[in-house]
Amino acid sequence: MIKRLLLVLGLPVVLFVTWYAASANSENFYAPPLRQILAAFVDTWTPERLRADVLPSLARLGAGYLLAALIGIAAGVAIGANPRLRAAAEPVLEFFRAVPPPVLVPVIMLFAGIGNGMKVIVIVSGCVWPVLLNTVEGVRATDGVLADTARAYGLTGAARLRHLLLPSASPQIIAGLRQALSIAIILMVISEMFAASNGLGFTIVQFQRSFAIPEMWSGIILLGLLGFGLSELFRLAERHALAWYHGLRDAQRRS
Amino acid sequence: MTAVGAAAPRTAPGGRALLGLSGLAGLLVLVELLPRTGIVSDSYLPPTSRILAALADEAATGAFWVAVGDTLTAWAIGLAIAVVAGVGAGVLIGAVPVLRAVTASTVEFLRPIPSVALIPLAVLLYGSDLGSTLLLVVYAAFWQVLVQVLYGVADVDPVADETARSFRFGPWARIRYVLWPTALPYVFTGVRLAASVALVLAVTAELVIGAPGLGAVIAVAQTSNAITTMYALIVVTGLLGVAINLAARYAERHFLAWHQSVRGEAPS
């Protein structure tokens, strides 16, 4: 237990102390002492501020991410399992996947205005692709023997999906969902940088424009903490969903 | 006995290309028809023909090609740095269990920091220069590669690893012959994702900071309300992305010809 704690906290503590010590006497306007940033952090991120700026950001992030996951997995399974559909859809998907989502913000603004809908659509438009791509890859790489066995047993339709395609693709799907999570956070920030009256990205840009450098740094740190927290949540969910996969690996390792 | 029809029906390569082309043609026709029939206002979405005309106008100017060159330069340099650093760090971290345990929390903390949050930092370090684009591109692409390499390293077949051990493979040989082949498909997925993320960040940096490149040209078109030109330039960024992706996929097919996911595809 102590060893585990040491492993988790060791390097971060070393890095933190290094930063604190190295910046203690910093005269650089853009890289203020960490002491000052921490003080700004406590002053800036009050409960009211969290409710007014962080909560709306998180709600948009959650809505966009869930929608992207649903669309990505559903479309990915359909496309991955059907060679003909994959051939027809691939060039179009490749094109849409290849368009950098931030350049779509002006376009999405034309259609959806500058409200919450725009931000959710921006998030969906960016993070549906890693999920979709990984699902297609995962379904495509289904073990040939398993697929033939399932066919020999007459496993079709929903049962084939439930017992063959989704389980065998799930490690890949989870990898895609993990990629999508970090992209979703990036797009949450970008969409709020373009047009917003609240949100984390908006607030950080305001700090930057008013040259409130310690506050800006505190915002970057809060974003990091937020990303870390979400990624921990994701890890818990992954451990639950992929318990069989990790268990299988561990069993093979032990034998 | 013939092999034909033994498994799922396979589409001939020519048929695949034809299906793909028909999908693309469908999209072009849809974009042409939506504004023409008035379902979508043409001030929001110009028809395909007008976008293509604007694209042709742009392609005739030298400034456009300079912008494309700038974007691609930033992309290539940034991606190269990120891939080398990501694969190196990933294999090292993955091969040494202690290192993996020690760095896991730090990686998990640094990775989710959105690279766009570094924009102010990039501006003050490099101004609106190639350097600030590179900083964002490398930061974003590095984690994509690293995370995939770590996933791949975790996927090593225990039996293969133990076989290698019982044949007294040294650490270097185990990395070369067990870990690396297992991780390779993940590395390619990582590089492909990193390649597109690098393009996203290159264009974003140009769009927001104003570093020279396609993004800056899009920002100009947007502020001057040249919707059709804006669409044409967005199409160009998409085409760049497609070209990058095709190259990555070709490399994947070439180097992973032995792997299940590619082998299952090959026409027999």
Side-chain angles (χ1 to χ4, degrees):
Chain A
M1 186 64 209
I2 293 172
K3 194 179 161 215
R4 213 184 99 77
L5 212 66
L6 209 68
L7 284 177
V8 171
L9 294 178
L11 190 58
V13 167
V14 169
L15 290 176
F16 182 85
V17 170
T18 311
W19 186 6
Y20 197 97
S23 71
N25 297 313
S26 170
E27 297 290 322
N28 189 333
F29 176 67
Y30 293 109
L34 186 54
R35 183 167 22 84
Q36 215 173 315
I37 295 174
L38 292 177
F41 190 95
V42 175
D43 292 341
T44 308
W45 303 105
T46 56
E48 298 87 69
R49 193 55 158 285
L50 290 179
R51 204 173 310 120
D53 282 322
V54 180
L55 217 56
S57 289
L58 283 180
R60 294 191 280 253
L61 179 77
Y65 184 67
L66 284 182
L67 261 176
L70 278 178
I71 298 171
I73 293 175
V77 167
I79 294 168
N82 186 337
R84 246 170 237 281
L85 184 58
R86 201 170 78 223
E90 221 159 41
V92 175
L93 287 179
E94 286 298 324
F95 177 74
F96 278 109
R97 184 182 109 79
V99 175
V103 305
L104 288 181
V105 175
V107 174
I108 294 173
M109 268 163 70
L110 282 176
F111 286 99
I114 57 169
N116 286 331
M118 178 275 273
K119 286 157 194 117
V120 172
I121 294 174
V122 167
I123 292 173
V124 172
S125 73
C127 56
V128 75
W129 310 112
V131 182
L132 183 61
L133 188 86
N134 272 281
T135 309
V136 170
E137 294 288 306
V139 171
R140 191 174 87 173
T142 300
D143 185 60
V145 177
L146 273 182
D148 288 345
T149 311
R151 191 172 292 122
Y153 277 96
L155 213 57
T156 50
R160 185 173 137 87
L161 183 69
R162 167 79 184 77
H163 296 291
L164 174 68
L165 294 183
L166 282 182
S168 78
S170 60
Q172 284 264 33
I173 295 177
I174 299 278
L177 284 173
R178 175 177 275 239
Q179 301 271 344
L181 185 61
S182 50
I183 292 178
I185 299 174
I186 289 177
L187 286 175
M188 174 192 88
V189 175
I190 287 189
S191 68
E192 290 169 357
M193 280 179 173
F194 269 85
S197 52
N198 62 10
L200 206 43
F202 168 77
T203 316
I204 293 176
V205 167
Q206 285 304 107
F207 286 145
Q208 181 230 321
R209 290 199 180 133
S210 54
F211 288 95
I213 302 298
E215 284 79 4
M216 186 201 83
W217 274 100
S218 81
I220 294 179
I221 291 177
L222 183 68
L223 265 179
L225 287 174
L226 190 74
F228 181 65
L230 287 175
S231 145
E232 282 302 297
L233 268 181
F234 186 89
R235 203 210 297 268
L236 281 179
E238 173 186 344
R239 192 172 298 164
H240 180 73
L242 282 189
W244 64 271
Y245 178 73
H246 295 309
L248 188 69
R249 285 274 160 198
D250 285 348
Q252 284 171 340
R253 206 158 287 173
R254 251 183 257 117
S255 61
Chain B
M1 285 287 286
T2 55
V4 178
R10 299 224 188 281
T11 327
R16 271 184 68 83
L18 213 64
L19 278 172
L21 281 179
S22 63
L24 268 183
L27 178 72
L28 292 179
V29 169
L30 186 72
V31 173
E32 179 75 30
L33 286 182
L34 279 179
R36 292 260 182 236
T37 54
I39 297 173
V40 178
S41 160
D42 66 349
S43 58
Y44 287 175
L45 177 70
T48 312
S49 49
R50 288 232 306 272
I51 296 178
L52 290 179
L55 191 59
D57 286 347
E58 281 295 315
T61 64
F64 167 78
W65 293 105
V66 172
V68 171
D70 284 340
T71 301
L72 282 180
T73 308
W75 169 82
I77 298 176
L79 182 67
I81 297 173
V83 167
V84 170
V87 170
V91 168
L92 186 70
I93 291 172
V96 186
V98 180
L99 217 54
R100 184 159 199 193
V102 170
T103 53
S105 57
T106 311
V107 169
E108 285 312 301
F109 182 73
L110 290 179
R111 185 180 58 84
I113 296 179
S115 36
V116 287
L118 300 178
I119 285 177
L121 213 61
V123 172
L124 76 94
L125 284 177
Y126 301 104
S128 62
D129 217 358
L130 179 65
S132 37
T133 312
L134 279 185
L135 180 69
L136 299 183
V137 169
V138 170
Y139 189 87
F142 172 74
W143 301 112
Q144 304 278 329
V145 179
L146 182 68
V147 167
Q148 285 293 331
V149 174
L150 289 180
Y151 265 106
V153 167
D155 200 35
V156 165
D157 184 351
V159 176
D161 194 43
E162 266 153 34
T163 308
R165 268 173 208 273
S166 49
F167 275 97
R168 301 224 172 162
F169 278 37
W172 178 246
R174 282 217 309 280
I175 289 178
R176 170 67 187 83
Y177 295 108
V178 180
L179 195 148
W180 181 243
T182 310
L184 205 56
Y186 290 84
V187 171
F188 273 104
T189 307
V191 170
R192 208 169 54 200
L193 288 168
S196 59
V197 167
L199 183 71
V200 171
L201 263 294
V203 173
T204 306
E206 291 157 8
L207 194 72
V208 178
I209 302 174
L214 270 176
V217 186
I218 292 178
V220 170
Q222 185 206 337
T223 44
S224 56
N225 215 17
I227 302 286
T228 314
T229 310
M230 190 181 85
Y231 269 98
L233 291 168
I234 290 173
V235 169
V236 172
T237 62
L239 291 178
L240 275 187
V242 170
I244 285 166
N245 221 352
L246 284 180
R249 194 158 283 193
Y250 175 79
E252 188 174 358
R253 249 158 223 266
H254 185 75
F255 291 111
L256 288 183
W258 49 273
H259 191 259
Q260 170 79 27
S261 65
V262 177
R263 224 172 42 197
E265 286 285 292
S268 46

